[in-house]
Amino acid sequence: MPYRTQRKISLALAMHLAPQVALRPCDASPGSISNQSKRIPSLMNTNNTKNINSSARRVTQTITGYLDDFNPWHNIRLFGTNVGNDLLAGLTVAVIALPLALAFGVASGLGPEAGIWAAICGGIFVGLFGGSNTGVSGPTGPKVVQLAAIVELTRTATGAADATFIFSLVFLSGLICVALALLKVGRFIYYTPYSVVSGFMCGIGVIIILLEIPAMLGFSTPSSVWDAVRQIPYDIIHEDPRAVVVSVATFAAIVLWSRLSPIRWLPGPLIGLLVGTGIASFFQFDIALIGDMPMGLPAINWPDFRRIDQMIGPAAALAGLAVFDSLLTCLVADNMTGERHNSDREIFGQGIANMMCGLVGGVTTATATMRTVANVKCGGRTGLACVFHGVVLLALMLGLAPLASHIPIACLAGILLKIGIDIIDYRVLPILHRMPFNDAICFWTVLLVTVSVDLLVAMGVGVAIAFLRVIHELGSLYEQQVISVKDANRHWPGDDAMPDTLKEKILKLNLQGPLFFGVADTLYRVANSLNNYNYLVIRLGQVPMIDMSGAFLLDDIIDRAHHNGATVVVTGLRDSTRRVLQQLKILEKVGQDRCFDRFDDAMLWIQQHEKLPVPQGDNSMAL
């Protein structure tokens, strides 16, 4: 190859692959060209390395920004902004939480200490990692009811709770919550209909009331709702008067204190606990007590996943209930404070708290409505109140646990009875007789399934009913109309030249609204009404979206038209609709030359196709 040609090729290659390297005039010698050629691969490697580093940096920044949503610093940095009120609110909430935690621990079948450790973990870790500044976490009625059912189903041959299995399951439920938070599912709570929420809460209230009636009468708590229903008639006949006195006095003290006492910082459940325990101790009633509670730090329950196939279902149910229960309470807090919680961070905090509950032997947790409302009313505005409430309970657990052994079971039953009554949605009860029919079906179905089957199954059934109802209403909201051009009373340039006999053979199919599986029945009825036509003009200008179901329904209409020997013309395709129909290759059956932006253009095309006169200026519409 001549030297000049070699020089030009090398220079061009160098400038193309490494434009940042400028060749000086003295570099144009044959030797320098050879050196420059050797440097080109090195420059290419440098560029590749820079591109890789840049991509890695972008990926790192994306991951860091994604995970920053779960950084506890978002909560910690606010701890110093409302210290006095937060500490007072945390102390008040701890006093409220103490009797509730003891009661929930006993109700779960794992012992009162399990309820206390759950309140401690929920307070500290949700206060650090949670997504609501005012939410207070701990054991709640819905979650304890669910866990108690699992405890009863998995008892060992001796009748004792299978602690290793249960606490591993609680840990796994926390792990699932963390995964759900990372998947950003928190926003879906806003799509839950009120009829589902109301039926769910009323059902939980009925469950707690039915389960606590035998304990108030001096008998053991039944293992299920149906056992309670069968057991209550016998318990009423053979009740223990001493247990009845304690439970009724506890319940009455809570009700009267909340209505008559001017001292708002002393919660009713604590007064009820003191009254019921005081009566039993003063009269030396021989009734069932909580019993000894271990004092000091708990032993670590390392999770054992060898039976994970049996755990995954119940753990997922507990996780789903934690998400639902917590986010509903966060919505209540938002309405009271005017703030907006971070749903995904709240789920993440619940996941961490439940994992810690599994390690230290606590029942499962969620954000609790009663404690959250009390926290807001007492002036709590940051996560410090929640954390301090957990620290106070920890101090009580480490130093005062032996005193709890003197609390009667009937006293805790009275407290739980009041909780069950409070959970019921009294906003809905007065309007049950005039509730919209569809909402009534949803409400009563969720309530009955909650009581008779399972909490999470009830939620799933309720959401499914609401979903089907919405789909049906959306499907009937838009009118899909088919009419002949002659009857449409629509004019276009040159319509006078088209005979009426031809106009009668041109059908105009007006489709409105989203074309999805919910409009299947409507479209089938429209397709069956198409007959005796030569042209079918499908107008899609008012169709904002189309899914595969709608696209295939449209495909069936096109196939039926072709089978009848008719020509199909499409008008008004939006970009989103066009993209779906092109991906599914449905537009190929129509042809791009028969897709028009305007209805008038489609009619002019039909006139040309029929070799009818076309108005002057529209001759550009060639076949």
Side-chain angles (χ1 to χ4, degrees):
M1 181 183 298
Y3 167 71
R4 291 182 179 274
T5 303
Q6 179 184 1
R7 176 183 173 184
K8 290 181 180 179
I9 292 175
S10 299
L11 283 172
L13 184 63
M15 293 299 291
H16 177 70
L17 295 176
Q20 68 273 33
V21 179
L23 297 179
R24 297 186 300 271
C26 59
D27 291 333
S29 63
S32 65
I33 292 173
S34 176
N35 293 334
Q36 192 70 29
S37 300
K38 294 178 181 179
R39 292 174 58 187
I40 291 173
S42 176
L43 292 170
M44 292 177 62
N45 292 335
T46 302
N47 288 337
N48 289 338
T49 303
K50 289 182 178 179
N51 290 335
I52 293 172
N53 291 338
S54 177
S55 299
R57 188 161 50 252
R58 285 196 298 269
V59 171
T60 302
Q61 290 173 350
T62 301
I63 294 175
T64 302
Y66 187 85
L67 296 179
D68 181 65
D69 209 19
F70 310 106
N71 189 341
W73 179 248
H74 292 295
N75 293 342
I76 296 173
R77 66 180 179 177
L78 300 176
F79 282 6
T81 59
N82 191 46
V83 176
N85 289 335
D86 283 341
L87 294 180
L88 179 61
L91 179 62
T92 304
V93 173
V95 174
I96 296 173
L98 178 62
L100 301 181
L102 292 171
F104 284 135
V106 172
S108 71
L110 297 172
E113 66 277 6
I116 294 291
W117 283 116
I120 293 170
C121 293
I124 294 175
F125 292 100
V126 175
L128 291 172
F129 294 94
S132 173
N133 291 329
T134 54
V136 179
S137 186
T140 65
K143 297 212 70 184
V144 168
V145 168
Q146 184 82 351
L147 184 64
I150 299 172
V151 171
E152 289 299 324
L153 291 174
T154 57
R155 289 191 180 276
T156 62
T158 61
D162 190 346
T164 301
F165 180 86
I166 293 298
F167 294 134
S168 299
L169 186 147
V170 172
F171 182 92
L172 181 59
S173 72
L175 205 59
I176 294 174
C177 282
V178 170
L180 293 175
L182 295 176
L183 293 174
K184 305 279 188 176
V185 301
R187 61 185 180 276
F188 293 111
I189 188 65
Y190 298 104
Y191 303 126
T192 305
Y194 189 84
S195 55
V196 175
V197 176
S198 180
F200 179 72
M201 300 308 294
C202 291
I204 291 171
V206 171
I207 290 175
I208 294 176
I209 292 170
L210 290 176
L211 291 178
E212 295 308 318
I213 288 176
M216 292 181 66
L217 298 174
F219 296 89
S220 60
T221 302
S223 59
S224 68
V225 173
W226 294 116
D227 289 342
V229 172
R230 288 190 291 265
Q231 182 178 329
I232 286 174
Y234 175 87
D235 293 346
I236 292 175
I237 298 174
H238 302 88
E239 91 285 354
D240 185 340
R242 297 164 298 181
V244 173
V245 169
V246 171
S247 58
V248 171
T250 301
F251 179 80
I254 297 173
V255 174
L256 294 176
W257 182 265
S258 61
R259 294 186 178 183
L260 303 178
S261 174
I263 306 175
R264 296 299 181 186
W265 59 271
L266 269 179
L270 179 62
I271 299 301
L273 181 69
L274 295 176
V275 169
T277 305
I279 291 174
S281 299
F282 182 80
F283 292 103
Q284 297 183 350
F285 285 162
D286 184 17
I287 55 178
L289 305 177
I290 286 180
D292 294 334
M293 285 179 57
M295 188 174 66
L297 295 174
I300 300 299
N301 298 279
W302 297 110
D304 182 358
F305 295 134
R306 285 179 293 182
R307 296 159 63 189
I308 193 170
D309 57 323
Q310 302 175 33
M311 294 179 186
I312 192 67
L318 286 177
L321 201 54
V323 172
F324 184 79
D325 200 3
S326 298
L327 296 188
L328 283 181
T329 301
C330 288
L331 291 178
V332 173
D334 289 349
N335 291 332
M336 295 180 66
T337 62
E339 299 179 351
R340 187 175 178 86
H341 71 279
N342 185 314
S343 297
D344 297 314
R345 194 188 305 160
E346 181 67 20
I347 298 173
F348 184 82
Q350 294 299 334
I352 298 295
N354 278 281
M355 291 169 68
M356 294 306 301
C357 286
L359 291 177
V360 302
V363 301
T364 181
T365 72
T367 305
T369 303
M370 182 188 301
R371 278 151 276 177
T372 297
V373 171
N375 181 40
V376 174
K377 290 184 176 181
C378 292
R381 289 298 178 269
T382 75
L384 178 62
C386 186
V387 172
F388 187 65
H389 128 273
V391 171
V392 171
L393 291 176
L394 176 61
L396 293 175
M397 187 64 184
L398 296 179
L400 302 178
L403 297 179
S405 61
H406 302 290
I407 299 175
I409 297 294
C411 177
L412 298 181
I415 295 173
L416 288 172
L417 178 69
K418 181 63 167 63
I419 293 173
I421 293 174
D422 289 341
I423 286 178
I424 293 175
D425 187 0
Y426 294 98
R427 184 180 181 183
V428 166
L429 294 184
I431 62 169
L432 285 178
H433 62 288
R434 48 192 172 90
M435 186 184 294
F437 180 72
N438 291 330
D439 288 304
I441 291 177
C442 193
F443 171 84
W444 286 109
T445 301
V446 172
L447 192 154
L448 293 176
V449 175
T450 298
V451 173
S452 61
V453 183
D454 183 80
L455 302 180
L456 206 63
V457 172
M459 286 301 304
V461 170
V463 171
I465 292 174
F467 173 77
L468 293 176
R469 185 191 71 185
V470 170
I471 294 302
H472 177 265
E473 291 179 354
L474 284 177
S476 59
L477 184 62
Y478 299 96
E479 181 181 0
Q480 318 300 342
Q481 183 185 36
V482 58
I483 190 172
S484 69
V485 169
K486 180 183 178 182
D487 298 332
N489 195 26
R490 166 71 183 270
H491 299 283
W492 64 93
D495 62 340
D496 295 336
M498 182 176 291
D500 289 343
T501 54
L502 178 58
K503 290 180 180 180
E504 292 177 351
K505 297 294 184 179
I506 302 175
L507 295 185
K508 183 175 65 170
L509 176 58
N510 287 329
L511 299 180
Q512 300 178 354
L515 294 186
F516 65 113
F517 59 91
V519 299
D521 180 61
T522 303
L523 282 184
Y524 274 126
R525 284 189 276 108
V526 169
N528 290 332
S529 67
L530 299 176
N531 53 67
N532 193 25
Y533 59 98
N534 294 339
Y535 292 93
L536 177 63
V537 181
I538 302 177
R539 304 193 65 184
L540 298 173
Q542 298 185 51
V543 176
M545 62 80 63
I546 185 169
D547 69 354
M548 190 166 68
S549 299
F552 283 157
L553 287 170
L554 197 60
D555 186 43
D556 292 340
I557 292 175
I558 294 172
D559 286 342
R560 179 170 181 167
H562 288 164
H563 179 73
N564 293 334
T567 301
V568 178
V569 180
V570 176
T571 68
L573 273 173
R574 298 189 183 186
D575 291 340
S576 58
T577 308
R578 181 187 297 273
R579 185 164 51 251
V580 173
L581 296 179
Q582 285 178 338
Q583 289 173 347
L584 298 177
K585 297 186 176 181
I586 293 176
L587 284 185
E588 293 181 2
K589 297 182 178 181
V590 177
Q592 291 296 336
D593 60 327
R594 298 175 189 176
C595 296
F596 302 97
D597 293 333
R598 301 183 306 135
F599 174 76
D600 291 355
D601 296 337
M603 296 306 299
L604 291 172
W605 182 89
I606 293 175
Q607 286 183 255
Q608 291 186 6
H609 193 265
E610 292 289 331
K611 297 181 172 53
L612 296 175
V614 177
Q616 193 67 25
D618 293 305
N619 293 326
S620 58
M621 302 256 331
L623 285 175

